[in-house]
Amino acid sequence: MLNSEIQKNLRYNFTVNIIESGFFGLGSGFASFITIIPLFVSTLTSSALLIGLIPAIPRLGWQLPQLLTADKVARLKYYKPTVMLLTIHHKLPFLGLALVALLQLRLNSQTILQLTFAILIWHGLGGGFCATAWQSMVAKIIPSRKLGIFYGALAAANNLMSIFGAVIAGLLLKEFAQPFNFALCFLCASFAMALSWFFMSRTREPVSAPSSAIETRREFWDSLSLILRCDENFRWFVSARMLSQLALMPLPFYTLYAVHQYGMGEAFVGLITSVLMATQTIAGLVLGWVGDRWGHKLALQIGCIACAFSSVLACLAPNANWFYLVFIGAGIGMMALQNIAAVMTLEFGNQQQRPAYIGLGNTLVAPATILAPILGGWIAENIDYKTTFLVAAIGGLVTALLLHVGVSDPRYLEHNFSNHSVEVLPEQ
């Protein structure tokens, strides 16, 4: 009965979630964590360490709380109400950024910087607290063999609209004086996020039995320990995801390096953001298709190599035009190491174990997510940007090697931990 209802609503859920992702992408183009927000913060501080933390904050906020919510989510019959309530805290902060930008007229730079980072942390944690419920909802309404292309379609819609947002953002930055230019960008982002919330609320989710039969919180935490002890493949996968954060480390520094080294202007920032989003649009669909057809491990390895390529190219670039290729490689890498990694996490364990695997697979990666950009910022400040890029390239190549030798695609494992662990999370 549940499967028939899922199939009945599949096309509808595909459509409304793609529209939702498109409006989220539009907002992300106006307030890019790779270009626009780092540029805004660079007007408040010259600290490469603080600027390097900016794209890590949403990733850390997304990952860190997931294990804390996994137990509760595992008991839900219906994920959507939880998703809709908590995702408000993922979308509303952009309005806060607009207000903070205007407060530059009255407050000093140090206060504005503190408020900005407080809002970015609010946004990141807002995503993290709804993440386990959202991923569980997606895994429930989308058949597993279509998850790759579904995530790819979400990313495509997201990034196509991000291109539009980024182009307009570049024009706003050029045509209006500071701080009104940044305030307008963030205000446009908040309006797009409101539309995103509305379309997410249109999702049709069938009611089902809770995915966990564990009676107590202690039993749930004991099950997590058992997963880590017994599922060696999952341990290697989590280790590879931790190491992959090094490959993503230089993303905010590419823009700053090009601005400082080659005098790249605001309009060029909007254009280069559009190149990044266009790459992610195509890469999301292609990597999702590759993952559905040949396994997501291959897609992850492609992303690692793409990250290494972009880092090396940034070191060798003789002029700003080379950064089109740098951002193309970075876009492919981001799609693989963030989106495809999330899809692959959903393939570990069975339906009853999924919230536990989602929580573990994201929360355990969180420390590396914050430490990598701190390391990158320290290297940039104390040595130079190029050394940061080279460390990232090594991280990408080592991650690809670790995936190759240590991780088996869980989809193709006929006898793995998830098939023999019903005593961990027993069937209803």
Side-chain angles (χ1 to χ4, degrees), residues 219-232:
E219 287 177 346
F220 179 80
W221 286 94
D222 286 344
S223 75
L224 300 181
S225 176
L226 190 57
I227 287 173
L228 290 176
R229 290 199 311 270
C230 299
D231 196 338
E232 182 180 4

Side-chain angles (χ1 to χ4, degrees), residues 68-390:
L68 301 177
T69 62
D71 179 28
K72 186 173 181 179
V73 170
R75 304 172 192 278
L76 295 176
K77 295 182 178 181
Y78 199 52
Y79 302 119
K80 187 176 130 181
T82 300
V83 173
M84 297 312 304
L85 177 65
L86 294 179
T87 197
I88 291 173
H89 298 283
H90 192 47
K91 302 178 187 299
L92 188 59
F94 291 98
L95 181 59
L97 283 177
L99 296 175
V100 166
L102 290 176
L103 286 174
Q104 279 188 286
L105 297 171
R106 293 186 173 272
L107 301 178
N108 60 58
S109 295
Q110 185 65 27
T111 302
I112 295 297
L113 185 65
Q114 293 170 353
L115 288 172
T116 298
F117 272 87
I119 290 173
L120 295 181
I121 292 169
W122 174 25
H123 163 79
L125 291 176
F129 278 107
C130 76
T132 304
W134 179 77
Q135 290 172 95
S136 298
M137 182 180 75
V138 167
K140 178 180 175 183
I141 65 174
I142 304 297
S144 61
R145 290 290 179 148
K146 294 184 180 293
L147 278 173
I149 196 64
F150 175 75
Y151 270 76
L154 290 185
N158 183 301
N159 290 300
L160 280 172
M161 294 298 285
S162 290
I163 296 169
F164 182 63
V167 170
I168 298 178
L171 295 174
L172 292 176
L173 291 175
K174 183 179 180 181
E175 296 298 325
F176 291 88
Q178 191 178 338
F180 301 104
N181 52 0
F182 286 108
L184 281 171
C185 287
F186 299 146
L187 186 63
C188 290
S190 65
F191 180 70
M193 291 296 169
L195 292 173
S196 167
W197 187 93
F198 171 78
F199 280 99
M200 181 180 282
S201 72
R202 302 298 93 190
T203 300
R204 294 174 182 171
E205 179 200 358
V207 179
S208 62
S211 60
S212 174
I214 289 181
E215 297 296 331
T216 68
R217 179 175 293 271
R218 180 175 179 178
E219 287 177 346
F220 179 80
W221 286 94
D222 286 344
S223 75
L224 300 181
S225 176
L226 190 57
I227 287 173
L228 290 176
R229 290 199 311 270
C230 299
D231 196 338
E232 182 180 4
N233 193 45
F234 182 69
R235 291 201 307 270
W236 280 109
F237 171 70
V238 171
S239 298
R241 286 198 66 191
M242 289 178 178
L243 188 59
S244 73
Q245 301 309 304
L246 282 178
L248 296 172
M249 175 177 69
L251 295 178
F253 301 122
Y254 290 150
T255 303
L256 297 177
Y257 179 71
V259 168
H260 296 154
Q261 187 75 11
Y262 304 110
M264 186 172 69
E266 289 88 348
F268 196 74
V269 170
L271 188 58
I272 209 76
T273 304
S274 300
V275 170
L276 176 67
M277 300 305 178
T279 301
Q280 289 179 302
T281 300
I282 298 170
L285 290 170
V286 173
L287 292 174
W289 177 79
V290 168
D292 284 344
R293 188 174 180 87
W294 290 296
H296 298 298
K297 173 185 164 180
L298 175 61
L300 284 179
Q301 290 174 296
I302 293 172
C304 291
I305 294 170
C307 278
F309 166 80
S310 66
S311 295
V312 171
L313 199 61
C315 290
L316 301 176
N319 56 62
N321 290 329
W322 281 53
F323 277 80
Y324 288 110
L325 290 176
V326 171
F327 275 82
I328 288 172
I332 295 171
M334 286 177 66
M335 288 307 305
L337 297 181
Q338 294 177 7
N339 282 39
I340 301 301
V343 176
M344 189 168 172
T345 303
L346 299 180
E347 294 189 327
F348 285 91
N350 52 41
Q351 180 181 357
Q352 294 149 319
Q353 296 168 319
R354 187 170 293 129
Y357 273 97
I358 290 172
L360 284 170
N362 287 283
T363 299
L364 292 178
V365 179
T369 300
I370 194 66
L371 289 175
I374 290 175
L375 174 63
W378 183 88
I379 294 173
E381 284 190 341
N382 291 276
I383 306 177
D384 57 24
Y385 283 112
K386 288 187 176 182
T387 304
T388 299
F389 301 157
L390 288 175

